[in-house]
Amino acid sequence: MIEFYFDVISPYVWLTSHRLKKLQDKLNLEIQYTPVLFAGLLNAHGSLGPAEIPAKREYTVIDAMRWANFYGLKYEGPPQHPFNPLKALRSCLYFKENKQRAKWVELLLDACWSQGLDIRQDSTLLSLAKDFKINGDELLQAIASPEIKTQLKQNTIHAVERGVFGVPTFRVEDQIFWGHDRLDLLELYLQGKLNIDLNKCKEVLQRPRAADRRNHN
Amino acid sequence: MIEFYFDVISPYVWLTSHRLKKLQDKLNLEIQYTPVLFAGLLNAHGSLGPAEIPAKREYTVIDAMRWANFYGLKYEGPPQHPFNPLKALRSCLYFKENKQRAKWVELLLDACWSQGLDIRQDSTLLSLAKDFKINGDELLQAIASPEIKTQLKQNTIHAVERGVFGVPTFRVEDQIFWGHDRLDLLELYLQGKLNIDLNKCKEVLQRPRAADRRNHN
């Protein structure tokens, strides 16, 4: 079982979703789609998102467009960014069955990143629900339910506890793979072709720091 | 001409140096090796380095070890990290001829990341100078010279002005490629196989923001 932590706010999550199905079929993987709030990860780790540093924001747009071009995907991007992804993330939790959830996540990501739809809006979610042949009113009710709101919070807390600091992140057997650009390493790991000495890793992390910036701001 | 911005403090710069020679030979590239101070980039952009966020620091070590394993490189890592890279960076500027500088940078990076030597120390630099068959005393004198100190500062300022926020970064024709994991995209770009609509990119960047975290700390 592989856990896939995602937030629809990231173009790299969208790019990942397009590669994931192929990898899943190739290696016959069971992948748990777990929505988390990226902003919650940043808050917990005292980190900054790419959209919060102007030069990095600019780079992220062109980088995502380059990858889209590489994969043959149409990039449009959402009408606003960053945007509040809460409703969209909660909508994923309406689907209890994992394969159905995966399909909904794909639909949602394509709507946002490829078609340029505003997935914050009820009207967009209702229209996608219609395409997906589910009851849109039921979906909106579920999104507003305390159970689903709590579940998204819990997902984010659990992700932080497991060392997740960004999206997309994959977790398998206590190993974390961060970024759509680490899918090749994940594949090698799953095939037993990555040999990492975890004791060496621990030893390296215990070495002293010899320089720190005085002021981070 | 491709500009390669690097700081020896990054394991990804070390990993890059091993792929770079092959790419250089394959595409017959002229690559300008430009040392910059990563901490200076972070200061200028108000950004945080991976070593400044505990979960990200931990991830970066295992990620670098995975890539080293993938490339068949021995990973040892420096005795302290982060460390003050100033002398090591200045030593690169002693070499005016680009190919010689590239070879020195490779030697320095392998000493630090593969052999685990402390490249902050004069004794290490003297020993490497001996291997490189140059006058070590001359090297140390150059490192201490105001000209070379100023040049490193200028390099960092110019890099920031050009939108560079991390290392390794490649710059070609006003296009930036950040990260050792973007060498494949760089190669495609150089071969004319990436088709990005820069006007679209500008339009996307002009769209409004619809959500920001209240507090970044």
Side-chain angles (χ1 to χ4, degrees):
Chain A
M1 163 70 89
I2 296 170
E3 199 147 14
F4 168 42
Y5 298 97
F6 70 93
D7 184 336
V8 293
I9 206 162
S10 164
Y12 299 110
V13 165
W14 167 59
L15 294 166
T16 296
S17 79
H18 279 275
R19 289 188 58 184
L20 208 49
K21 222 191 135 6
K22 285 173 203 159
L23 187 64
Q24 192 165 19
D25 292 346
K26 186 176 170 189
L27 300 184
N28 196 22
L29 304 175
E30 204 183 332
I31 302 177
Q32 172 69 41
Y33 279 62
T34 303
V36 294
L37 184 67
F38 180 46
L41 302 182
L42 297 176
N43 287 337
H45 289 288
S47 189
L48 292 167
E52 295 173 334
I53 298 151
K56 216 166 182 175
R57 176 170 180 253
E58 198 167 320
Y59 178 76
T60 302
V61 170
I62 198 158
D63 186 52
M65 289 179 81
R66 284 173 184 156
W67 284 112
N69 185 266
F70 176 70
Y71 294 129
L73 300 171
K74 181 183 177 288
Y75 177 99
E76 176 54 41
Q80 294 100 353
H81 195 277
F83 61 86
N84 183 331
L86 283 171
K87 280 191 184 182
L89 292 173
R90 288 175 190 148
S91 78
C92 306
L93 293 170
Y94 169 75
F95 302 91
K96 305 297 172 201
E97 202 278 307
N98 208 30
K99 278 193 180 165
Q100 213 195 5
R101 184 186 290 177
K103 278 184 188 164
W104 174 258
V105 174
E106 270 173 48
L107 188 77
L108 206 53
L109 288 166
D110 277 335
C112 175
W113 291 100
S114 204
Q115 295 171 53
L117 300 181
D118 187 349
I119 59 169
R120 298 175 308 164
Q121 305 297 337
D122 288 353
S123 56
T124 310
L125 296 175
L126 284 172
S127 160
L128 293 174
K130 202 176 166 186
D131 295 345
F132 208 68
K133 290 175 183 140
I134 54 159
N135 185 318
D137 293 328
E138 250 186 58
L139 180 71
L140 293 187
Q141 272 171 30
I143 288 174
S145 75
E147 291 75 21
I148 278 186
K149 288 183 179 179
T150 302
Q151 200 184 330
L152 182 62
K153 279 183 199 160
Q154 287 297 331
N155 281 356
T156 308
I157 290 167
H158 289 161
V160 168
E161 285 170 356
R162 286 157 190 168
V164 176
F165 53 84
V167 287
T169 289
F170 292 91
R171 185 169 167 273
V172 51
E173 298 162 357
D174 273 348
Q175 294 291 299
I176 274 176
F177 294 82
W178 169 53
H180 115 277
D181 44 22
R182 294 305 186 267
L183 280 171
D184 291 332
L185 286 185
L186 173 67
E187 184 173 345
L188 287 172
Y189 179 81
L190 293 169
Q191 294 171 324
K193 290 180 186 167
L194 269 191
N195 298 303
I196 305 303
D197 181 348
L198 293 176
N199 287 325
K200 182 78 192 175
C201 190
K202 271 184 203 161
E203 183 265 302
V204 168
L205 284 164
Q206 279 160 2
R207 292 179 195 166
R209 303 174 79 94
D212 277 293
R213 292 190 297 147
R214 279 186 207 155
N215 189 342
H216 285 170
N217 293 310
Chain B
M1 163 70 89
I2 296 171
E3 199 148 14
F4 169 41
Y5 299 98
F6 70 92
D7 184 335
V8 292
I9 206 163
S10 165
Y12 299 109
V13 165
W14 168 57
L15 294 166
T16 297
S17 79
H18 279 274
R19 290 189 56 183
L20 208 49
K21 220 190 138 2
K22 285 174 202 161
L23 187 64
Q24 192 166 17
D25 291 346
K26 186 176 171 188
L27 300 184
N28 196 20
L29 303 175
E30 205 184 332
I31 301 177
Q32 172 69 42
Y33 280 61
T34 303
V36 295
L37 185 66
F38 180 46
L41 302 182
L42 297 177
N43 287 337
H45 289 287
S47 190
L48 292 167
E52 295 173 334
I53 297 153
K56 216 166 181 174
R57 176 171 179 251
E58 199 167 318
Y59 178 77
T60 303
V61 170
I62 197 158
D63 187 53
M65 287 178 82
R66 285 175 185 155
W67 284 114
N69 185 267
F70 177 71
Y71 294 129
L73 300 171
K74 181 182 178 291
Y75 177 100
E76 176 55 40
Q80 293 100 352
H81 195 275
F83 61 86
N84 183 331
L86 283 170
K87 281 192 182 180
L89 292 173
R90 287 174 189 148
S91 78
C92 305
L93 293 169
Y94 170 76
F95 301 91
K96 305 296 173 202
E97 202 276 307
N98 209 27
K99 279 192 181 166
Q100 213 195 5
R101 183 186 291 178
K103 278 184 189 165
W104 175 258
V105 173
E106 270 172 48
L107 187 77
L108 206 52
L109 288 166
D110 277 335
C112 176
W113 290 99
S114 204
Q115 296 172 54
L117 300 180
D118 187 350
I119 59 170
R120 298 174 308 164
Q121 305 296 338
D122 286 355
S123 56
T124 310
L125 296 174
L126 283 172
S127 160
L128 293 174
K130 202 174 166 190
D131 296 344
F132 208 70
K133 288 173 184 142
I134 55 161
N135 185 320
D137 293 328
E138 249 186 58
L139 180 71
L140 292 187
Q141 272 171 30
I143 288 174
S145 75
E147 292 75 20
I148 278 187
K149 288 182 179 180
T150 302
Q151 200 184 331
L152 183 62
K153 278 183 199 160
Q154 288 297 329
N155 281 356
T156 308
I157 291 166
H158 288 160
V160 168
E161 286 169 355
R162 286 157 190 169
V164 176
F165 52 85
V167 286
T169 290
F170 292 90
R171 187 169 166 273
V172 51
E173 297 162 359
D174 273 348
Q175 294 291 299
I176 273 176
F177 294 81
W178 170 52
H180 113 278
D181 44 22
R182 295 304 187 266
L183 280 171
D184 291 331
L185 286 185
L186 172 67
E187 183 172 347
L188 287 172
Y189 179 82
L190 293 169
Q191 293 171 324
K193 290 179 187 167
L194 270 191
N195 297 302
I196 305 302
D197 181 350
L198 293 177
N199 287 325
K200 181 77 193 174
C201 190
K202 271 185 202 160
E203 183 263 303
V204 168
L205 284 164
Q206 279 160 3
R207 292 180 196 167
R209 303 174 78 95
D212 276 295
R213 291 190 298 145
R214 282 187 204 152
N215 189 342
H216 285 170
N217 293 311

